[in-house]
Amino acid sequence: QVQLVESGGGLVQPGGSLRLSCAASKNIFSIYTMGWYRQAPGKQRELVAVLTSGGNSNYADSVKGRFTISRDNAKNTVYLQMASLKREDTAIYYCNARHILQYWGQGTQVTVSS
């Protein structure tokens, strides 16, 4: 069993930045693919960014060049650095760990508004 706890969400103005954190209860990064997903009101959950155990990353086209996924192995924490935020980035952001099984965090709200 793996617990994931997100933090770092909040209210930010368009063009601003936020950093989300996802703390895992175990050292899993050498095995699990870590990902950030988001779900906006009335929409399906969508993939934002992934980081494989080998260190390869991939991003949704809508966030390429603005978001960066990274990890700190010593802290068992994955980050999502978000810059140049747009109103359409408003959503609940979820952390995901996937190997044979997958685990989800509880989500953290990001609201981009002036």
Side-chain angles (χ1 to χ4, degrees), residues 9-10 20 37-41 43-44 46 48 82 86-94 107-112:
L20 305 183
Y37 290 72
R38 67 186 181 187
Q39 188 167 17
K43 295 187 177 182
Q44 289 189 332
E46 63 175 358
V48 176
M82 306 185 293
K86 304 176 181 180
R87 288 181 174 83
E88 51 263 43
D89 294 318
T90 295
I92 300 174
Y93 284 70
Y94 297 91
T108 185
Q109 176 72 48
V110 172
T111 302
V112 184

Short mmCIF file of all heavy atoms in Angstrom, two decimals, residues 9-10 20 37-41 43-44 46 48 82 86-94 107-112:
data_model
loop_
_atom_site.label_atom_id
_atom_site.label_comp_id
_atom_site.label_asym_id
_atom_site.label_seq_id
_atom_site.Cartn_x
_atom_site.Cartn_y
_atom_site.Cartn_z
N GLY A 9 -1.44 23.57 -3.56
CA GLY A 9 -2.45 24.23 -4.36
C GLY A 9 -2.87 25.55 -3.75
O GLY A 9 -2.48 25.90 -2.64
N GLY A 10 -3.66 26.30 -4.52
CA GLY A 10 -4.15 27.58 -4.02
C GLY A 10 -4.67 28.44 -5.13
O GLY A 10 -4.90 27.98 -6.25
N LEU A 20 3.41 22.30 -6.88
CA LEU A 20 2.69 21.25 -6.17
C LEU A 20 3.69 20.19 -5.72
O LEU A 20 4.68 19.91 -6.40
CB LEU A 20 1.65 20.60 -7.07
CG LEU A 20 0.62 21.53 -7.71
CD1 LEU A 20 -0.39 20.72 -8.51
CD2 LEU A 20 -0.07 22.39 -6.68
N TYR A 37 -2.21 14.37 -12.65
CA TYR A 37 -3.44 14.47 -13.43
C TYR A 37 -4.23 15.64 -12.90
O TYR A 37 -3.99 16.12 -11.79
CB TYR A 37 -4.27 13.19 -13.29
CG TYR A 37 -3.69 11.97 -13.96
CD1 TYR A 37 -2.56 11.33 -13.44
CD2 TYR A 37 -4.27 11.43 -15.10
CE1 TYR A 37 -2.03 10.21 -14.04
CE2 TYR A 37 -3.76 10.30 -15.72
CZ TYR A 37 -2.64 9.70 -15.18
OH TYR A 37 -2.13 8.58 -15.80
N ARG A 38 -5.21 16.07 -13.69
CA ARG A 38 -6.09 17.13 -13.21
C ARG A 38 -7.50 16.89 -13.73
O ARG A 38 -7.71 16.26 -14.76
CB ARG A 38 -5.59 18.50 -13.65
CG ARG A 38 -5.64 18.77 -15.15
CD ARG A 38 -4.99 20.11 -15.47
NE ARG A 38 -5.04 20.42 -16.90
CZ ARG A 38 -4.41 21.47 -17.44
NH1 ARG A 38 -3.69 22.29 -16.68
NH2 ARG A 38 -4.51 21.67 -18.74
N GLN A 39 -8.44 17.44 -12.97
CA GLN A 39 -9.85 17.34 -13.35
C GLN A 39 -10.52 18.67 -13.10
O GLN A 39 -10.60 19.13 -11.95
CB GLN A 39 -10.54 16.22 -12.58
CG GLN A 39 -11.96 15.95 -13.07
CD GLN A 39 -12.52 14.65 -12.53
OE1 GLN A 39 -12.03 14.09 -11.56
NE2 GLN A 39 -13.56 14.15 -13.19
N ALA A 40 -10.98 19.27 -14.16
CA ALA A 40 -11.72 20.52 -14.08
C ALA A 40 -13.21 20.22 -13.94
O ALA A 40 -13.66 19.14 -14.33
CB ALA A 40 -11.46 21.36 -15.32
N PRO A 41 -13.97 21.15 -13.41
CA PRO A 41 -15.42 20.92 -13.25
C PRO A 41 -16.09 20.54 -14.57
O PRO A 41 -15.89 21.20 -15.58
CB PRO A 41 -15.92 22.27 -12.75
CG PRO A 41 -14.75 22.88 -12.08
CD PRO A 41 -13.56 22.45 -12.88
N LYS A 43 -15.45 18.10 -16.47
CA LYS A 43 -14.57 17.46 -17.44
C LYS A 43 -13.98 16.18 -16.89
O LYS A 43 -13.98 15.95 -15.68
CB LYS A 43 -13.45 18.42 -17.85
CG LYS A 43 -13.92 19.65 -18.59
CD LYS A 43 -12.75 20.45 -19.10
CE LYS A 43 -13.22 21.64 -19.92
NZ LYS A 43 -12.08 22.43 -20.47
N GLN A 44 -13.47 15.36 -17.78
CA GLN A 44 -12.82 14.12 -17.36
C GLN A 44 -11.42 14.42 -16.83
O GLN A 44 -10.79 15.42 -17.17
CB GLN A 44 -12.73 13.15 -18.54
CG GLN A 44 -14.07 12.57 -18.96
CD GLN A 44 -13.91 11.46 -19.99
OE1 GLN A 44 -12.96 11.42 -20.75
NE2 GLN A 44 -14.85 10.52 -20.00
N GLU A 46 -7.60 14.27 -16.70
CA GLU A 46 -6.65 14.19 -17.79
C GLU A 46 -5.22 14.16 -17.26
O GLU A 46 -4.92 14.72 -16.21
CB GLU A 46 -6.81 15.38 -18.75
CG GLU A 46 -6.54 16.72 -18.13
CD GLU A 46 -6.60 17.86 -19.15
OE1 GLU A 46 -6.81 17.60 -20.35
OE2 GLU A 46 -6.40 19.01 -18.72
N VAL A 48 -1.48 15.24 -16.99
CA VAL A 48 -0.74 16.49 -17.13
C VAL A 48 0.73 16.21 -17.42
O VAL A 48 1.31 16.75 -18.36
CB VAL A 48 -0.87 17.34 -15.86
CG1 VAL A 48 -0.01 18.59 -15.96
CG2 VAL A 48 -2.33 17.70 -15.62
N MET A 82 4.61 24.75 -11.87
CA MET A 82 3.71 25.32 -12.87
C MET A 82 4.00 26.80 -13.02
O MET A 82 4.02 27.54 -12.02
CB MET A 82 2.26 25.11 -12.44
CG MET A 82 1.92 23.65 -12.14
SD MET A 82 0.18 23.39 -11.78
CE MET A 82 0.04 24.26 -10.22
N LYS A 86 -2.66 29.71 -16.61
CA LYS A 86 -3.80 30.25 -17.35
C LYS A 86 -5.09 29.86 -16.62
O LYS A 86 -5.11 28.90 -15.83
CB LYS A 86 -3.84 29.65 -18.76
CG LYS A 86 -2.57 29.84 -19.56
CD LYS A 86 -2.65 29.13 -20.90
CE LYS A 86 -1.38 29.30 -21.71
NZ LYS A 86 -1.44 28.60 -23.01
N ARG A 87 -6.16 30.58 -16.89
CA ARG A 87 -7.44 30.27 -16.25
C ARG A 87 -7.84 28.82 -16.52
O ARG A 87 -8.43 28.17 -15.65
CB ARG A 87 -8.52 31.23 -16.72
CG ARG A 87 -8.36 32.64 -16.17
CD ARG A 87 -9.48 33.55 -16.63
NE ARG A 87 -9.39 34.85 -15.97
CZ ARG A 87 -8.61 35.83 -16.38
NH1 ARG A 87 -7.85 35.68 -17.44
NH2 ARG A 87 -8.61 36.99 -15.73
N GLU A 88 -7.52 28.33 -17.69
CA GLU A 88 -7.91 26.96 -18.04
C GLU A 88 -7.10 25.90 -17.31
O GLU A 88 -7.38 24.71 -17.44
CB GLU A 88 -7.82 26.74 -19.55
CG GLU A 88 -6.51 27.14 -20.17
CD GLU A 88 -6.57 28.53 -20.77
OE1 GLU A 88 -7.14 29.45 -20.14
OE2 GLU A 88 -6.00 28.71 -21.88
N ASP A 89 -6.10 26.32 -16.54
CA ASP A 89 -5.36 25.36 -15.69
C ASP A 89 -6.10 25.10 -14.38
O ASP A 89 -5.69 24.25 -13.59
CB ASP A 89 -3.96 25.89 -15.39
CG ASP A 89 -3.09 25.99 -16.62
OD1 ASP A 89 -3.13 25.04 -17.46
OD2 ASP A 89 -2.37 26.99 -16.76
N THR A 90 -7.16 25.84 -14.13
CA THR A 90 -7.94 25.64 -12.92
C THR A 90 -8.52 24.23 -12.87
O THR A 90 -9.19 23.79 -13.81
CB THR A 90 -9.08 26.67 -12.85
OG1 THR A 90 -8.52 27.98 -12.74
CG2 THR A 90 -9.99 26.40 -11.66
N ALA A 91 -8.21 23.51 -11.79
CA ALA A 91 -8.65 22.13 -11.66
C ALA A 91 -8.20 21.60 -10.31
O ALA A 91 -7.43 22.25 -9.59
CB ALA A 91 -8.06 21.26 -12.77
N ILE A 92 -8.68 20.41 -9.99
CA ILE A 92 -8.11 19.65 -8.88
C ILE A 92 -6.97 18.81 -9.47
O ILE A 92 -7.19 18.09 -10.46
CB ILE A 92 -9.14 18.76 -8.19
CG1 ILE A 92 -10.28 19.60 -7.63
CG2 ILE A 92 -8.49 17.95 -7.08
CD1 ILE A 92 -11.43 18.80 -7.06
N TYR A 93 -5.82 18.91 -8.86
CA TYR A 93 -4.64 18.18 -9.35
C TYR A 93 -4.39 16.97 -8.45
O TYR A 93 -4.35 17.10 -7.22
CB TYR A 93 -3.43 19.11 -9.37
CG TYR A 93 -3.46 20.07 -10.53
CD1 TYR A 93 -4.38 21.11 -10.57
CD2 TYR A 93 -2.59 19.92 -11.61
CE1 TYR A 93 -4.43 21.98 -11.65
CE2 TYR A 93 -2.62 20.79 -12.69
CZ TYR A 93 -3.55 21.81 -12.70
OH TYR A 93 -3.60 22.67 -13.78
N TYR A 94 -4.21 15.83 -9.10
CA TYR A 94 -4.01 14.58 -8.39
C TYR A 94 -2.65 13.98 -8.71
O TYR A 94 -2.21 13.97 -9.86
CB TYR A 94 -5.09 13.56 -8.79
CG TYR A 94 -6.50 13.95 -8.45
CD1 TYR A 94 -7.27 14.66 -9.35
CD2 TYR A 94 -7.05 13.60 -7.22
CE1 TYR A 94 -8.59 15.01 -9.05
CE2 TYR A 94 -8.36 13.94 -6.91
CZ TYR A 94 -9.11 14.65 -7.82
OH TYR A 94 -10.41 15.00 -7.51
N GLY A 107 -5.90 14.86 -3.90
CA GLY A 107 -6.08 16.01 -4.77
C GLY A 107 -5.84 17.33 -4.07
O GLY A 107 -6.03 17.46 -2.86
N THR A 108 -5.42 18.32 -4.84
CA THR A 108 -5.24 19.67 -4.33
C THR A 108 -5.79 20.65 -5.36
O THR A 108 -5.55 20.51 -6.56
CB THR A 108 -3.75 19.95 -4.01
OG1 THR A 108 -3.63 21.25 -3.40
CG2 THR A 108 -2.87 19.90 -5.24
N GLN A 109 -6.54 21.63 -4.89
CA GLN A 109 -7.22 22.57 -5.77
C GLN A 109 -6.26 23.67 -6.24
O GLN A 109 -5.58 24.29 -5.43
CB GLN A 109 -8.41 23.21 -5.06
CG GLN A 109 -9.14 24.27 -5.87
CD GLN A 109 -9.94 23.69 -7.02
OE1 GLN A 109 -10.68 22.74 -6.84
NE2 GLN A 109 -9.79 24.28 -8.21
N VAL A 110 -6.26 23.90 -7.53
CA VAL A 110 -5.54 25.02 -8.13
C VAL A 110 -6.57 25.90 -8.83
O VAL A 110 -7.30 25.42 -9.71
CB VAL A 110 -4.47 24.55 -9.12
CG1 VAL A 110 -3.87 25.75 -9.86
CG2 VAL A 110 -3.38 23.77 -8.39
N THR A 111 -6.61 27.15 -8.45
CA THR A 111 -7.53 28.10 -9.06
C THR A 111 -6.74 29.26 -9.63
O THR A 111 -5.98 29.92 -8.90
CB THR A 111 -8.55 28.62 -8.04
OG1 THR A 111 -9.27 27.52 -7.48
CG2 THR A 111 -9.53 29.58 -8.70
N VAL A 112 -6.90 29.49 -10.92
CA VAL A 112 -6.20 30.59 -11.59
C VAL A 112 -7.25 31.64 -11.93
O VAL A 112 -8.12 31.43 -12.79
CB VAL A 112 -5.48 30.11 -12.86
CG1 VAL A 112 -4.70 31.28 -13.47
CG2 VAL A 112 -4.57 28.94 -12.54
#
